[in-house]
Coordinates of all heavy atoms in Angstrom, one line a residue:
Chain B
A451 N -21.8 -68.2 65.1 CA -22.4 -67.0 64.6 C -23.9 -67.1 64.5 O -24.4 -68.2 64.1 CB -21.8 -66.7 63.2
V452 N -24.6 -66.1 64.9 CA -26.1 -66.1 64.8 C -26.6 -65.0 63.9 O -26.0 -63.9 64.0 CB -26.8 -66.0 66.1 CG1 -26.5 -67.3 67.0 CG2 -26.5 -64.8 66.9
K453 N -27.6 -65.2 63.2 CA -28.3 -64.1 62.5 C -29.7 -64.0 63.0 O -30.5 -65.0 62.7 CB -28.3 -64.4 61.0 CG -29.0 -63.4 60.1 CD -29.0 -63.7 58.7 CE -29.3 -62.5 57.8 NZ -29.0 -62.8 56.4
L454 N -30.0 -63.0 63.6 CA -31.3 -62.7 64.1 C -32.2 -62.1 63.0 O -31.8 -61.1 62.4 CB -31.4 -61.8 65.3 CG -32.7 -61.3 65.8 CD1 -33.5 -62.5 66.5 CD2 -32.6 -60.1 66.7
V455 N -33.4 -62.8 62.7 CA -34.2 -62.2 61.7 C -35.6 -62.0 62.3 O -36.2 -62.9 62.9 CB -34.4 -63.2 60.5 CG1 -35.3 -62.6 59.4 CG2 -33.0 -63.4 59.8
W456 N -36.1 -60.8 62.1 CA -37.5 -60.5 62.5 C -38.3 -60.6 61.2 O -37.9 -60.3 60.1 CB -37.6 -59.0 62.9 CG -37.1 -58.8 64.4 CD1 -36.0 -59.4 65.0 CD2 -37.7 -57.9 65.3 NE1 -35.9 -58.8 66.2 CE2 -36.9 -58.0 66.5 CE3 -38.8 -57.1 65.3 CZ2 -37.2 -57.2 67.6 CZ3 -39.1 -56.3 66.4 CH2 -38.3 -56.4 67.6
T457 N -39.5 -61.1 61.4 CA -40.5 -61.1 60.3 C -41.3 -59.8 60.3 O -41.1 -59.0 61.3 CB -41.4 -62.3 60.4 OG1 -42.1 -62.2 61.6 CG2 -40.7 -63.6 60.4
R458 N -42.1 -59.6 59.3 CA -42.9 -58.4 59.4 C -43.9 -58.4 60.6 O -44.2 -57.4 61.2 CB -43.7 -58.2 58.1 CG -44.6 -57.0 58.0 CD -43.9 -55.7 58.1 NE -42.8 -55.6 57.2 CZ -41.8 -54.7 57.2 NH1 -41.6 -54.0 58.3 NH2 -40.9 -54.7 56.3
E459 N -44.3 -59.6 60.9 CA -45.2 -59.8 62.0 C -44.5 -59.4 63.3 O -45.1 -58.7 64.2 CB -45.7 -61.2 62.2 CG -46.7 -61.7 61.1 CD -46.1 -62.1 59.7 OE1 -44.8 -62.0 59.6 OE2 -46.8 -62.5 58.8
D460 N -43.3 -59.8 63.4 CA -42.4 -59.4 64.6 C -42.3 -57.9 64.7 O -42.4 -57.2 65.8 CB -41.0 -60.0 64.6 CG -41.0 -61.5 64.6 OD1 -41.9 -62.1 65.2 OD2 -40.1 -62.1 64.0
D461 N -42.1 -57.3 63.5 CA -41.9 -55.8 63.5 C -43.1 -55.0 63.9 O -43.0 -54.2 64.7 CB -41.6 -55.5 62.0 CG -41.5 -54.0 61.7 OD1 -40.7 -53.3 62.5 OD2 -42.2 -53.5 60.9
L462 N -44.3 -55.4 63.4 CA -45.5 -54.7 63.8 C -45.9 -54.9 65.2 O -46.5 -54.0 65.8 CB -46.7 -55.0 62.8 CG -46.5 -54.5 61.4 CD1 -47.6 -54.9 60.5 CD2 -46.2 -53.0 61.3
A463 N -45.6 -56.1 65.7 CA -45.9 -56.4 67.1 C -44.8 -56.0 68.1 O -44.9 -56.3 69.3 CB -46.3 -57.9 67.3
G464 N -43.7 -55.5 67.6 CA -42.5 -55.4 68.3 C -42.4 -54.1 69.2 O -41.3 -53.9 69.8
G465 N -43.4 -53.3 69.3 CA -43.3 -52.2 70.2 C -42.4 -51.0 69.6 O -42.1 -51.0 68.4
Y466 N -42.0 -50.2 70.5 CA -41.2 -49.0 70.1 C -41.9 -48.2 69.1 O -41.4 -47.7 68.1 CB -39.8 -49.4 69.6 CG -39.0 -50.0 70.7 CD1 -38.9 -51.4 70.9 CD2 -38.3 -49.1 71.6 CE1 -38.2 -51.9 72.0 CE2 -37.5 -49.7 72.6 CZ -37.5 -51.0 72.8 OH -36.8 -51.6 73.9
Y467 N -43.2 -48.0 69.4 CA -44.1 -47.2 68.5 C -44.0 -45.7 68.7 O -43.6 -45.3 69.8 CB -45.6 -47.6 68.8 CG -45.8 -49.1 68.6 CD1 -46.4 -49.8 69.7 CD2 -45.5 -49.8 67.5 CE1 -46.6 -51.2 69.6 CE2 -45.8 -51.1 67.3 CZ -46.3 -51.8 68.4 OH -46.5 -53.2 68.3
R468 N -44.5 -45.0 67.8 CA -44.7 -43.6 68.0 C -45.8 -43.5 69.1 O -46.9 -44.2 68.9 CB -45.2 -42.9 66.7 CG -45.2 -41.4 66.7 CD -46.3 -40.6 67.5 NE -47.6 -41.0 67.1 CZ -48.3 -40.3 66.1 NH1 -47.8 -39.3 65.5 NH2 -49.5 -40.7 65.8
P469 N -45.6 -42.8 70.2 CA -46.6 -42.9 71.2 C -48.0 -42.4 70.8 O -48.1 -41.6 69.8 CB -46.0 -42.1 72.4 CG -44.8 -41.4 71.8 CD -44.5 -42.0 70.6
M470 N -49.0 -42.7 71.6 CA -50.3 -42.1 71.4 C -50.2 -40.7 72.0 O -49.5 -40.5 73.0 CB -51.4 -42.8 72.2 CG -51.9 -44.1 71.6 SD -52.9 -45.0 72.7 CE -54.4 -44.0 72.7
F471 N -50.9 -39.8 71.4 CA -51.0 -38.4 71.9 C -52.4 -38.0 72.0 O -53.2 -38.4 71.1 CB -50.2 -37.4 71.0 CG -48.7 -37.4 71.1 CD1 -48.0 -38.3 70.4 CD2 -48.1 -36.5 71.8 CE1 -46.6 -38.3 70.5 CE2 -46.7 -36.4 71.9 CZ -45.9 -37.3 71.2
A472 N -52.8 -37.2 73.0 CA -54.1 -36.5 73.0 C -53.8 -35.0 73.2 O -52.9 -34.7 74.0 CB -55.0 -37.1 74.0
Q473 N -54.5 -34.2 72.6 CA -54.3 -32.7 72.7 C -55.7 -32.1 72.8 O -56.7 -32.5 72.2 CB -53.7 -32.1 71.4 CG -52.5 -32.9 70.9 CD -51.2 -32.4 71.4 OE1 -51.1 -31.5 72.2 NE2 -50.2 -32.9 70.9
R474 N -55.7 -31.0 73.6 CA -57.0 -30.2 73.7 C -56.5 -28.7 73.7 O -55.7 -28.3 74.4 CB -57.7 -30.5 75.0 CG -58.9 -29.6 75.3 CD -59.7 -30.0 76.4 NE -60.3 -31.4 76.2 CZ -60.8 -32.2 77.1 NH1 -60.8 -31.8 78.4 NH2 -61.2 -33.4 76.8
A475 N -57.2 -28.0 72.8 CA -56.9 -26.6 72.7 C -58.2 -25.8 72.8 O -59.3 -26.1 72.3 CB -56.2 -26.3 71.4
H476 N -58.1 -24.6 73.5 CA -59.1 -23.6 73.5 C -58.5 -22.3 73.0 O -57.5 -21.9 73.6 CB -59.7 -23.3 74.9 CG -60.4 -24.6 75.5 ND1 -61.6 -25.0 75.0 CD2 -60.0 -25.4 76.4 CE1 -62.0 -26.1 75.7 NE2 -61.0 -26.4 76.6
I477 N -59.0 -21.8 72.0 CA -58.4 -20.6 71.3 C -59.4 -19.4 71.3 O -60.5 -19.7 70.8 CB -57.9 -20.9 69.9 CG1 -56.8 -22.0 70.0 CG2 -57.3 -19.7 69.3 CD1 -56.4 -22.6 68.7
G478 N -59.0 -18.3 71.7 CA -59.9 -17.1 71.6 C -59.3 -16.1 70.7 O -58.1 -15.8 70.7
I479 N -60.2 -15.6 69.8 CA -59.8 -14.5 68.9 C -60.1 -13.2 69.4 O -61.2 -12.9 69.9 CB -60.6 -14.7 67.5 CG1 -60.5 -16.1 67.0 CG2 -60.0 -13.7 66.5 CD1 -59.2 -16.6 66.6
G480 N -59.2 -12.2 69.4 CA -59.4 -10.9 69.9 C -60.1 -10.0 68.9 O -60.4 -10.4 67.8
D481 N -60.4 -8.8 69.4 CA -61.1 -7.8 68.5 C -60.3 -7.5 67.3 O -60.9 -7.0 66.3 CB -61.4 -6.5 69.3 CG -62.4 -6.8 70.4 OD1 -63.1 -7.9 70.3 OD2 -62.5 -6.1 71.4
D482 N -59.0 -7.6 67.4 CA -58.1 -7.3 66.3 C -58.1 -8.4 65.2 O -57.3 -8.3 64.3 CB -56.7 -6.9 66.7 CG -56.1 -8.0 67.5 OD1 -56.8 -9.1 67.7 OD2 -54.9 -7.9 67.9
G483 N -58.8 -9.5 65.5 CA -58.8 -10.6 64.5 C -57.6 -11.5 64.7 O -57.4 -12.5 63.9
K484 N -56.8 -11.3 65.8 CA -55.7 -12.2 66.0 C -56.0 -13.0 67.3 O -56.8 -12.7 68.1 CB -54.4 -11.3 66.2 CG -54.0 -10.8 64.8 CD -52.9 -9.8 64.9 CE -51.6 -10.2 65.4 NZ -50.6 -9.2 65.2
I485 N -55.2 -14.1 67.4 CA -55.3 -15.0 68.6 C -55.0 -14.2 69.9 O -53.8 -13.7 70.0 CB -54.5 -16.2 68.4 CG1 -55.1 -17.0 67.2 CG2 -54.5 -17.1 69.6 CD1 -54.2 -18.2 66.7
A486 N -55.9 -14.2 70.8 CA -55.7 -13.4 72.0 C -55.4 -14.4 73.2 O -54.8 -14.0 74.2 CB -56.9 -12.6 72.3
A487 N -55.8 -15.7 73.1 CA -55.5 -16.6 74.1 C -55.5 -18.0 73.6 O -56.3 -18.4 72.8 CB -56.6 -16.5 75.2
W488 N -54.5 -18.8 74.0 CA -54.4 -20.2 73.4 C -54.1 -21.1 74.6 O -53.0 -21.1 75.1 CB -53.3 -20.3 72.4 CG -53.2 -21.6 71.7 CD1 -53.0 -22.8 72.3 CD2 -53.1 -21.8 70.3 NE1 -52.9 -23.8 71.3 CE2 -52.9 -23.2 70.1 CE3 -53.1 -21.0 69.1 CZ2 -52.7 -23.8 68.8 CZ3 -52.9 -21.6 67.9 CH2 -52.8 -23.0 67.7
G489 N -55.1 -21.8 75.1 CA -54.9 -22.7 76.2 C -54.8 -24.1 75.7 O -55.6 -24.6 74.9
H490 N -53.7 -24.8 76.0 CA -53.4 -26.1 75.3 C -53.0 -27.2 76.4 O -52.2 -26.9 77.3 CB -52.3 -25.9 74.3 CG -52.2 -26.9 73.3 ND1 -52.4 -26.7 72.0 CD2 -51.9 -28.3 73.4 CE1 -52.2 -27.8 71.2 NE2 -51.9 -28.8 72.1
R491 N -53.6 -28.3 76.2 CA -53.1 -29.5 77.1 C -52.7 -30.6 76.2 O -53.4 -30.9 75.2 CB -54.4 -30.0 77.9 CG -54.9 -28.9 78.8 CD -56.3 -29.4 79.4 NE -56.7 -28.4 80.3 CZ -57.2 -28.7 81.5 NH1 -57.4 -30.0 81.9 NH2 -57.5 -27.7 82.4
S492 N -51.6 -31.3 76.7 CA -51.1 -32.5 76.0 C -51.0 -33.7 76.9 O -50.6 -33.5 78.0 CB -49.7 -32.3 75.4 OG -49.8 -31.4 74.3
V493 N -51.4 -34.8 76.4 CA -51.1 -36.1 77.1 C -50.3 -36.9 76.2 O -50.6 -37.2 75.1 CB -52.4 -36.8 77.6 CG1 -52.1 -38.0 78.3 CG2 -53.3 -35.9 78.4
A494 N -49.2 -37.4 76.7 CA -48.3 -38.3 75.9 C -47.5 -39.2 76.7 O -47.2 -38.9 77.9 CB -47.4 -37.4 75.1
Q495 N -47.1 -40.4 76.2 CA -46.2 -41.3 76.8 C -44.8 -40.8 76.5 O -44.5 -40.6 75.3 CB -46.4 -42.7 76.4 CG -45.6 -43.7 77.1 CD -45.8 -45.1 76.7 OE1 -46.8 -45.5 76.1 NE2 -44.9 -46.0 77.1
S496 N -44.0 -40.5 77.5 CA -42.7 -39.9 77.2 C -41.8 -40.9 76.5 O -41.8 -42.0 76.9 CB -42.1 -39.5 78.6 OG -40.7 -39.2 78.4
I497 N -41.1 -40.4 75.6 CA -40.1 -41.2 74.8 C -38.8 -41.3 75.6 O -38.1 -42.3 75.7 CB -39.9 -40.6 73.4 CG1 -41.1 -40.8 72.6 CG2 -38.7 -41.4 72.7 CD1 -41.1 -40.0 71.3
F498 N -38.4 -40.1 76.2 CA -37.0 -40.1 76.7 C -36.9 -40.4 78.2 O -35.8 -40.7 78.6 CB -36.5 -38.7 76.5 CG -36.0 -38.4 75.0 CD1 -37.0 -38.2 74.0 CD2 -34.7 -38.5 74.6 CE1 -36.6 -38.0 72.7 CE2 -34.3 -38.4 73.3 CZ -35.3 -38.1 72.4
K499 N -38.0 -40.3 79.0 CA -37.9 -40.6 80.4 C -37.5 -42.1 80.6 O -38.0 -43.0 80.0 CB -39.2 -40.3 81.1 CG -39.4 -38.8 81.3 CD -40.6 -38.5 82.2 CE -40.7 -37.0 82.2 NZ -41.9 -36.5 83.0
G500 N -36.5 -42.2 81.5 CA -36.0 -43.6 81.7 C -35.0 -44.1 80.7 O -34.5 -45.2 80.9
G501 N -34.7 -43.3 79.7 CA -33.8 -43.8 78.7 C -32.4 -43.1 78.9 O -32.2 -42.2 79.7
P502 N -31.4 -43.5 78.1 CA -30.1 -43.0 78.3 C -29.9 -41.5 77.9 O -28.9 -40.9 78.3 CB -29.2 -43.8 77.3 CG -30.2 -44.4 76.3 CD -31.5 -44.5 77.0
M503 N -30.9 -40.9 77.2 CA -30.7 -39.5 76.9 C -31.7 -38.6 77.6 O -32.0 -37.5 77.2 CB -30.9 -39.3 75.4 CG -29.7 -39.9 74.6 SD -29.7 -39.6 72.9 CE -30.8 -40.7 72.3
E504 N -32.2 -39.1 78.7 CA -33.2 -38.4 79.5 C -32.7 -37.0 79.9 O -33.5 -36.0 79.8 CB -33.6 -39.2 80.8 CG -34.5 -38.4 81.7 CD -35.1 -39.3 82.8 OE1 -35.1 -40.5 82.7 OE2 -35.8 -38.7 83.7
S505 N -31.5 -36.9 80.3 CA -31.0 -35.6 80.8 C -31.0 -34.5 79.7 O -31.1 -33.3 80.0 CB -29.6 -35.8 81.5 OG -28.7 -36.1 80.5
I506 N -30.8 -34.9 78.5 CA -30.8 -33.9 77.4 C -32.3 -33.5 77.1 O -32.5 -32.3 76.6 CB -30.1 -34.3 76.1 CG1 -29.6 -35.7 76.0 CG2 -29.1 -33.3 75.7 CD1 -29.0 -36.1 74.7
A507 N -33.2 -34.3 77.2 CA -34.5 -34.1 76.7 C -35.5 -33.6 77.8 O -36.5 -32.9 77.4 CB -35.1 -35.4 76.1
V508 N -35.3 -34.0 79.0 CA -36.3 -33.7 80.0 C -35.8 -32.5 80.9 O -34.8 -32.6 81.5 CB -36.6 -35.0 80.8 CG1 -37.7 -34.7 81.9 CG2 -37.1 -36.1 79.9
H509 N -36.7 -31.5 81.0 CA -36.4 -30.4 81.9 C -37.6 -30.0 82.8 O -38.7 -29.9 82.2 CB -35.9 -29.2 81.1 CG -34.7 -29.5 80.2 ND1 -33.5 -29.6 80.7 CD2 -34.7 -29.8 78.9 CE1 -32.6 -30.0 79.7 NE2 -33.3 -30.1 78.6
N510 N -37.4 -29.9 84.0 CA -38.5 -29.7 85.0 C -39.7 -30.7 84.7 O -40.8 -30.3 84.8 CB -39.0 -28.2 84.8 CG -37.9 -27.2 85.1 OD1 -37.1 -27.5 86.0 ND2 -37.9 -26.2 84.3
G511 N -39.3 -31.9 84.4 CA -40.3 -32.9 84.3 C -40.9 -33.0 82.9 O -41.6 -33.9 82.5
V512 N -40.7 -32.0 82.1 CA -41.3 -31.9 80.7 C -40.3 -32.6 79.7 O -39.2 -32.1 79.5 CB -41.6 -30.4 80.3 CG1 -42.1 -30.4 78.9 CG2 -42.6 -29.8 81.3
D513 N -40.8 -33.6 79.1 CA -40.0 -34.2 78.0 C -40.3 -33.3 76.8 O -41.4 -33.2 76.3 CB -40.5 -35.6 77.7 CG -39.8 -36.3 76.6 OD1 -39.2 -35.6 75.7 OD2 -39.9 -37.5 76.4
H514 N -39.2 -32.6 76.4 CA -39.4 -31.7 75.3 C -40.0 -32.3 74.0 O -40.8 -31.6 73.4 CB -38.0 -31.1 75.0 CG -38.0 -30.1 73.8 ND1 -38.6 -28.9 73.9 CD2 -37.6 -30.2 72.5 CE1 -38.5 -28.3 72.7 NE2 -38.0 -29.1 71.8
F515 N -39.7 -33.5 73.8 CA -40.2 -34.2 72.6 C -41.8 -34.5 72.7 O -42.3 -34.8 71.7 CB -39.4 -35.4 72.3 CG -38.0 -35.0 72.0 CD1 -37.0 -34.9 73.0 CD2 -37.6 -34.7 70.7 CE1 -35.7 -34.4 72.7 CE2 -36.3 -34.3 70.4 CZ -35.4 -34.2 71.4
S516 N -42.3 -34.3 73.9 CA -43.8 -34.4 74.0 C -44.5 -33.1 73.6 O -45.7 -33.1 73.4 CB -44.2 -34.8 75.4 OG -43.7 -36.0 75.8
V517 N -43.8 -32.0 73.6 CA -44.4 -30.7 73.4 C -43.7 -29.9 72.3 O -44.1 -28.8 71.9 CB -44.3 -29.8 74.6 CG1 -45.3 -30.5 75.7 CG2 -42.9 -29.7 75.2
E518 N -42.7 -30.5 71.6 CA -42.0 -29.8 70.5 C -43.0 -29.5 69.4 O -43.8 -30.3 69.1 CB -40.8 -30.6 70.0 CG -41.1 -31.9 69.4 CD -39.9 -32.6 68.9 OE1 -38.8 -32.0 68.7 OE2 -40.0 -33.8 68.5
G519 N -42.7 -28.4 68.8 CA -43.6 -28.0 67.7 C -44.8 -27.2 68.2 O -45.5 -26.5 67.4
I520 N -45.0 -27.2 69.5 CA -46.1 -26.4 70.1 C -45.5 -25.4 70.9 O -45.7 -24.2 70.7 CB -47.1 -27.3 70.9 CG1 -47.7 -28.4 70.1 CG2 -48.2 -26.5 71.6 CD1 -48.5 -29.5 70.8
V521 N -44.7 -25.8 71.9 CA -44.1 -24.9 72.9 C -43.2 -23.9 72.2 O -43.0 -22.8 72.6 CB -43.5 -25.7 74.0 CG1 -42.2 -26.2 73.7 CG2 -43.5 -24.9 75.3
D522 N -42.5 -24.4 71.1 CA -41.5 -23.6 70.5 C -41.9 -23.1 69.0 O -41.1 -22.9 68.2 CB -40.2 -24.4 70.4 CG -40.4 -25.8 69.8 OD1 -41.6 -26.1 69.4 OD2 -39.5 -26.6 69.8
T523 N -43.3 -23.0 68.9 CA -43.8 -22.6 67.5 C -43.2 -21.1 67.2 O -43.1 -20.3 68.1 CB -45.3 -22.6 67.5 OG1 -45.7 -22.1 66.2 CG2 -45.9 -21.7 68.6
P524 N -42.9 -21.0 65.9 CA -42.4 -19.6 65.6 C -43.6 -18.6 65.6 O -43.3 -17.4 65.7 CB -41.9 -19.8 64.1 CG -41.6 -21.2 64.0 CD -42.6 -21.9 64.9
Y525 N -44.8 -19.1 65.6 CA -46.0 -18.1 65.7 C -45.9 -17.3 67.0 O -45.5 -17.8 68.0 CB -47.3 -18.8 65.6 CG -47.7 -19.4 64.3 CD1 -47.9 -20.8 64.3 CD2 -47.8 -18.7 63.1 CE1 -48.3 -21.4 63.0 CE2 -48.2 -19.3 62.0 CZ -48.5 -20.6 61.9 OH -48.9 -21.2 60.7
Q526 N -46.3 -16.0 66.9 CA -46.5 -15.3 68.1 C -47.8 -15.5 68.7 O -48.8 -15.1 68.2 CB -46.3 -13.8 67.8 CG -45.0 -13.5 67.2 CD -44.6 -12.1 67.4 OE1 -45.4 -11.2 67.1 NE2 -43.4 -11.8 68.0
L527 N -47.8 -16.4 69.7 CA -49.1 -16.8 70.3 C -49.1 -16.7 71.8 O -48.1 -17.1 72.5 CB -49.3 -18.3 70.0 CG -49.5 -18.7 68.5 CD1 -49.6 -20.2 68.3 CD2 -50.7 -18.0 67.8
P528 N -50.1 -16.1 72.4 CA -50.2 -16.1 73.8 C -50.7 -17.4 74.4 O -51.8 -17.6 74.6 CB -51.3 -15.0 74.1 CG -52.1 -14.9 72.9 CD -51.3 -15.5 71.7
M529 N -49.7 -18.3 74.5 CA -50.0 -19.7 74.7 C -49.7 -20.2 76.2 O -48.7 -19.8 76.7 CB -49.3 -20.6 73.7 CG -49.6 -22.2 73.9 SD -48.6 -23.2 72.9 CE -49.3 -23.0 71.4
A530 N -50.6 -21.0 76.8 CA -50.3 -21.7 78.0 C -50.4 -23.2 77.7 O -51.4 -23.6 77.1 CB -51.2 -21.3 79.1
L531 N -49.4 -23.9 78.1 CA -49.4 -25.4 77.7 C -49.2 -26.3 78.9 O -48.1 -26.1 79.6 CB -48.3 -25.6 76.7 CG -48.0 -27.1 76.3 CD1 -49.2 -27.8 75.7 CD2 -46.9 -27.1 75.2
G532 N -50.1 -27.2 79.2 CA -49.9 -28.2 80.3 C -49.7 -29.5 79.7 O -50.2 -29.8 78.6
L533 N -48.9 -30.3 80.4 CA -48.5 -31.7 79.9 C -48.7 -32.7 81.0 O -48.4 -32.5 82.2 CB -47.0 -31.7 79.5 CG -46.5 -33.1 79.2 CD1 -47.1 -33.6 77.9 CD2 -44.9 -33.0 79.1
T534 N -49.3 -33.8 80.6 CA -49.4 -35.0 81.6 C -48.8 -36.2 80.9 O -49.0 -36.4 79.7 CB -50.8 -35.2 81.9 OG1 -51.4 -34.1 82.5 CG2 -51.0 -36.4 82.9
D535 N -48.0 -37.0 81.6 CA -47.4 -38.2 81.0 C -48.3 -39.4 81.2 O -48.9 -39.6 82.2 CB -46.1 -38.5 81.8 CG -44.9 -37.6 81.5 OD1 -45.0 -36.9 80.4 OD2 -44.0 -37.5 82.3

Side-chain angles (χ1 to χ4, degrees):
Chain B
V452 298
K453 178 180 197 168
L454 172 73
V455 178
W456 284 38
T457 59
R458 181 60 56 199
E459 289 82 358
D460 296 330
D461 172 56
L462 291 180
Y466 294 92
Y467 305 123
R468 196 284 301 272
M470 284 172 72
F471 282 81
Q473 315 266 3
R474 172 171 298 163
H476 297 289
I477 300 168
I479 311 291
D481 295 339
D482 59 356
K484 287 168 65 170
I485 292 168
W488 183 311
H490 199 114
R491 299 169 174 225
S492 289
V493 179
Q495 186 177 343
S496 165
I497 294 169
F498 283 80
K499 284 188 184 176
M503 291 190 282
E504 175 165 350
S505 64
I506 4 179
V508 181
H509 302 287
N510 301 321
V512 176
D513 179 342
H514 176 71
F515 295 86
S516 295
V517 293
E518 63 177 348
I520 299 174
V521 79
D522 50 5
T523 176
Y525 289 123
Q526 297 203 310
L527 299 174
M529 181 189 284
L531 171 61
L533 171 70
T534 303
D535 288 340

